[in-house]
Amino acid sequence: MSWPVKTIAERTGDLLPGSPWTAALYVLLTILAVTAFMTVTGLVLIYAERKIAAHFQCRLGPMRVGWHGVLQTIADALKLLLKEDIVPRDADALLHILAPVLSFAGMLLVMIALPMSPSLQVADMNIGVLYVTAVSGLGVLGILLGGWSSNNKWSLLGAMRAGAQIISYEVSATLALLVVVLFSGTLQLSGIVQSQEAGWWIWRAHGCGIVAFAIFLIAGTAEINRTPFDLAEGESELTAGFHTEYSGLRFSFFFLSEFLNMFVLAAMTSTLFLGGWMPLHIGHFTVFNGVMDIIPPGLWFTFKTTGMIFLIMWFRWTFPRLRVDQLMRLEWKILLPIGFVNLFVSAACVVTGCYFFAR
Amino acid sequence: MLASAIPTLVFYLLAAISLTLAWSVVTGRRILRAAVSLMGVLAASAGLYLLLDSPFLAGVQVLVYVGGIVVLLVFAVMLTRTTELLEDHPTRARQIVGGAVATGFFLLSYNMMTADAFVGRTLSPLPKNDVAAIGRALLDTGENGYALPFEVVSLLLLAAMIGGIVIARKPAVAAKPEAFHG
C-alpha cells in the first residue's frame, strides 16, 4: 500500500495558476485553521495537565466550571486576556514585547512542518529535520531576551539557566535525530514516516532505535523546560524565572508556546521513532498490516502523540527537579557519549544492512 | 507574469529588511537590540538563499547563525552587563577612521562587482540540489571534491575550541601547596 502525500502548500501551488485570489483565500483559511488548532490544542493540554496532575496526587482538579471543569481553561484564558499588560519601567520595552513573539514563532514554525496525516501537513520541506532543528532555535532567543529585557535578576537568572540548558541539550537531541535520518536516508519528515512502512524505527533499528528514542525524549523534555528540567522557572528558587515580569496577553504567549512545545515534542518523537501517521506494520505480515490499515493515519498520529504527551506529563510527577550541576553532568558526561556511540553503531548497522526488514 | 513578479517582490522586500536592520546594527547604541537586528539580517539572508533555490543552505544559515551565533552573542552580552547600558558615543577620530574604512571597503567591493560580468563559471557542474549530493561532494577526495577544505575547516574549529578551553581554564594550582593550617 502506498501513501501519497499531498501537503497544503502543494494544494495552494496547484490553485495559483488558475486564480491567485483563490490561492490567497486558501492561504488565509490555512492560517485561520492553524491558529484555531493551536488555541484549542493549548487549552486542551492545559486542562489535561491540571486533571492528570490532580489525579496523580489523588485530587479531583478543576470540577466547578462546566462538566468536570471542562470550561475552566476557557474561563482562565478569558481572564488572562482581560488582565493589565505591564511593561517594567526600566525595561527595554521593544525587546520585552518582541520576546514572547519570538518564542511563539519558534514553536509555530515547527508546527507547520509536522506531518499529521498524508493529507494534513502544511508544508513538507526537503530539509524537514534540519528545518525543525533550525527554527526551534528561535524559541531559546525568545526566552533569553524575555529574561534580559525584564530588568529583573530572577528573570535574568532564569533566562541564563534556560539558555545554557537548551543549548546543551540541543546537541544530544540532534545526535538522536541523526540516527533516524541515517536509517531512513532522508531529511524530509513525510519521507521519514514513509520509511517506517515495514515497522517503526524504535524497534526496527536493532537497539539503536530505543537508545536514540530515550535520548531524544530526555533531551527534548529538557529543551522544553519541563520538570524534571524546569530549573529555568523553578518557582521555589526563581519566582517564575524568565517570565516573572510578564502579565496578561504576553504571559499567555509564553505559557501557550510552552504547552504547545510539549505537543511539538510529542509529535516529533512519534514521527521519528513511532512511525508518525504510519499504522503499526510488521514487515511482510500482509494480513496483520491490512487490519492495521483500517484505522486511518490521522488517528494513528493522534493516538501516538497523545500517548507521548501523557508520558511527558507523567514524568513531572515522577522525577524530582535536577540541580544545575547535575543537569550539566547528565548532558555532557552521560547523554552525549552515549549519543555518539549510538550514532557510530547505527551507522555500522545501516552500512551492513543489519536491521530488521532491511531492503 | 505573476510567477516571476512574486520572487522579485520578495527579493526587494528581503533586501529592504536586510539593509534597514544592518543599518540599525551599526548605528544602534543598545547592544542587545543590535544583536536582535543582526539576527534579522541573518534570517533575511536565509530568505535570499531560499529565493536562490538552495533550501539546505538556508536551513544551515538559520541553524548556525540564528540558532547558534546570535544566541551565543546574546548569552555573552547577558553575562557581561545586567543593566541597560548605552554604548558611548564614538570619538571624532574613530568616526573618521571608521568612515574611511567603510568607504574604502565599499569602493573595493563595488570595483570587484563591476569588473566581473558574473557569467556562470563554475569549476565543476553544480551538484544536484539535494543533501545527498552535498554530502558526497564534501567527502569526495577526487578532482571536484571538497574533502581537503572540509578537513582544514574542521582542524581550524578544533584549534579554536582548544584555544577556548585553554583561555577558560583556571590557572593551574601551585605545585607546592601552602602549609595547611588547621
Side-chain angles (χ1 to χ4, degrees):
Chain A
M1 190 163 173
S2 69
W3 305 88
V5 173
K6 182 95 175 165
T7 63
I8 292 176
E10 278 166 6
R11 287 196 203 118
T12 317
D14 291 346
L15 284 173
L16 195 59
S19 152
W21 295 112
T22 324
L25 191 69
Y26 201 76
V27 170
L28 196 70
L29 278 177
T30 310
I31 294 171
L32 269 179
V34 170
T35 319
F37 174 79
M38 286 196 308
T39 319
V40 172
T41 314
L43 290 179
V44 169
L45 282 179
I46 294 168
Y47 176 71
E49 168 100 309
R50 294 180 67 176
K51 272 298 193 192
I52 289 171
H55 284 280
F56 270 117
Q57 299 173 332
C58 298
R59 293 185 285 121
L60 286 174
M63 285 298 280
R64 300 291 170 90
V65 192
W67 181 80
H68 277 251
V70 281
L71 300 177
Q72 181 71 53
T73 35
I74 298 174
D76 286 347
L78 287 177
K79 182 197 73 179
L80 261 184
L81 295 186
L82 295 176
K83 277 202 169 176
E84 189 190 354
D85 181 37
I86 301 166
V87 177
R89 198 187 56 210
D90 288 334
D92 191 332
L94 184 74
L95 293 183
H96 196 76
I97 292 165
L98 186 70
V101 177
L102 269 181
S103 189
F104 198 74
M107 184 274 305
L108 175 67
L109 287 174
V110 179
M111 192 79 107
I112 61 166
L114 291 178
M116 302 196 182
S117 102
S119 54
L120 190 61
Q121 182 179 9
V122 178
D124 187 22
M125 279 140 270
N126 229 336
I127 52 156
V129 171
L130 180 71
Y131 168 84
V132 168
T133 329
V135 295
S136 56
L138 282 179
V140 202
L141 214 56
I143 290 175
L144 284 177
L145 290 180
W148 191 83
S149 65
S150 298
N151 198 17
N152 172 328
K153 57 185 167 192
W154 304 123
S155 298
L156 186 72
L157 274 175
M160 300 284 290
R161 282 182 178 190
Q165 176 178 331
I166 295 173
I167 294 170
S168 311
Y169 278 83
E170 226 168 23
V171 184
S172 280
T174 313
L175 282 180
L177 210 137
L178 281 179
V179 170
V180 176
V181 173
L182 269 182
F183 275 104
S184 59
T186 176
L187 285 173
Q188 202 172 12
L189 285 173
S190 69
I192 287 177
V193 173
Q194 276 166 332
S195 74
Q196 311 188 51
E197 200 172 349
W200 305 342
W201 286 123
I202 187 169
W203 61 269
R204 227 179 103 198
H206 227 103
C208 302
I210 190 113
V211 176
F213 171 78
I215 292 178
F216 188 77
L217 194 59
I218 296 172
T221 313
E223 271 192 76
I224 59 172
N225 287 327
R226 273 190 68 88
T227 333
F229 305 104
D230 64 339
L231 297 126
E233 48 187 280
E235 61 268 44
S236 50
E237 301 164 17
L238 296 175
T239 333
F242 60 90
H243 56 61
T244 307
E245 297 284 357
Y246 280 88
S247 63
L249 193 60
R250 297 195 214 298
F251 169 75
S252 63
F253 262 87
F254 268 132
F255 198 58
L256 198 62
S257 48
E258 210 159 282
F259 270 89
L260 288 173
N261 267 331
M262 181 165 61
F263 171 79
V264 166
L265 171 67
M268 276 304 289
T269 318
S270 47
T271 301
L272 293 172
F273 298 98
L274 305 176
W277 44 256
M278 187 62 76
L280 173 61
H281 284 173
I282 303 178
H284 319 297
F285 295 14
T286 358
V287 178
F288 177 79
N289 295 350
V291 172
M292 286 297 158
D293 286 344
I294 294 172
I295 305 175
L299 273 185
W300 277 104
F301 175 83
T302 315
F303 289 153
K304 290 169 189 171
T305 309
T306 317
M308 290 308 305
I309 288 174
F310 181 73
L311 194 65
I312 296 168
M313 286 184 176
W314 192 354
F315 282 169
R316 180 166 172 188
W317 304 105
T318 310
F319 302 116
R321 183 188 302 147
L322 269 71
R323 227 168 42 217
V324 180
D325 59 324
Q326 291 170 334
L327 184 88
M328 287 297 151
R329 188 174 306 138
L330 175 68
E331 160 62 16
W332 295 105
K333 294 195 174 166
I334 301 174
L335 287 186
L336 197 64
I338 295 177
F340 272 122
V341 171
N342 193 39
L343 191 61
F344 278 119
V345 174
S346 32
C349 281
V350 172
V351 170
T352 55
C354 170
Y355 55 97
F356 299 120
F357 307 115
R359 252 164 274 163
Chain B
M1 189 212 95
L2 193 76
S4 67
I6 291 177
T8 317
L9 197 71
V10 173
F11 168 75
Y12 279 111
L13 200 68
L14 285 173
I17 292 173
S18 298
L19 287 180
T20 321
L21 289 176
W23 181 257
S24 76
V25 171
V26 180
T27 57
R29 285 179 63 212
R30 297 184 176 186
I31 192 155
L32 211 66
R33 277 198 193 181
V36 174
S37 305
L38 183 66
M39 183 203 80
V41 175
L42 297 169
S45 346
L48 289 177
Y49 293 147
L50 270 185
L51 216 56
L52 289 172
D53 216 11
S54 17
F56 182 73
L57 195 58
V60 171
Q61 166 89 4
V62 173
L63 183 70
V64 173
Y65 285 94
V66 178
I69 292 188
V70 172
V71 168
L72 218 61
L73 233 157
V74 170
F75 214 71
V77 173
M78 279 169 60
L79 277 175
T80 48
R81 44 181 80 187
T82 49
T83 48
E84 181 70 54
L85 282 177
L86 294 180
E87 287 284 287
D88 295 335
H89 275 298
T91 56
R92 182 66 61 192
R94 264 193 169 188
Q95 280 178 337
I96 291 167
V97 175
V101 170
T103 320
F105 189 73
F106 174 75
L107 286 177
L108 186 72
S109 40
Y110 182 78
N111 275 333
M112 299 269 268
M113 278 180 207
T114 44
D116 197 292
F118 280 111
V119 278
R121 260 189 328 199
T122 43
L123 291 173
S124 55
L126 278 172
K128 252 196 327 171
N129 196 10
D130 64 10
V131 184
I134 294 173
R136 272 190 212 102
L138 274 182
L139 290 178
D140 188 6
T141 49
E143 200 180 334
N144 296 324
Y146 290 87
L148 184 67
F150 184 67
E151 290 301 323
V152 170
V153 166
S154 62
L155 209 65
L156 180 72
L157 281 176
L158 184 68
M161 207 158 75
I162 293 175
I165 291 171
V166 168
I167 292 171
R169 225 171 63 157
K170 284 182 195 139
V173 283
K176 200 176 154 198
E178 304 261 316
F180 185 66
H181 300 291

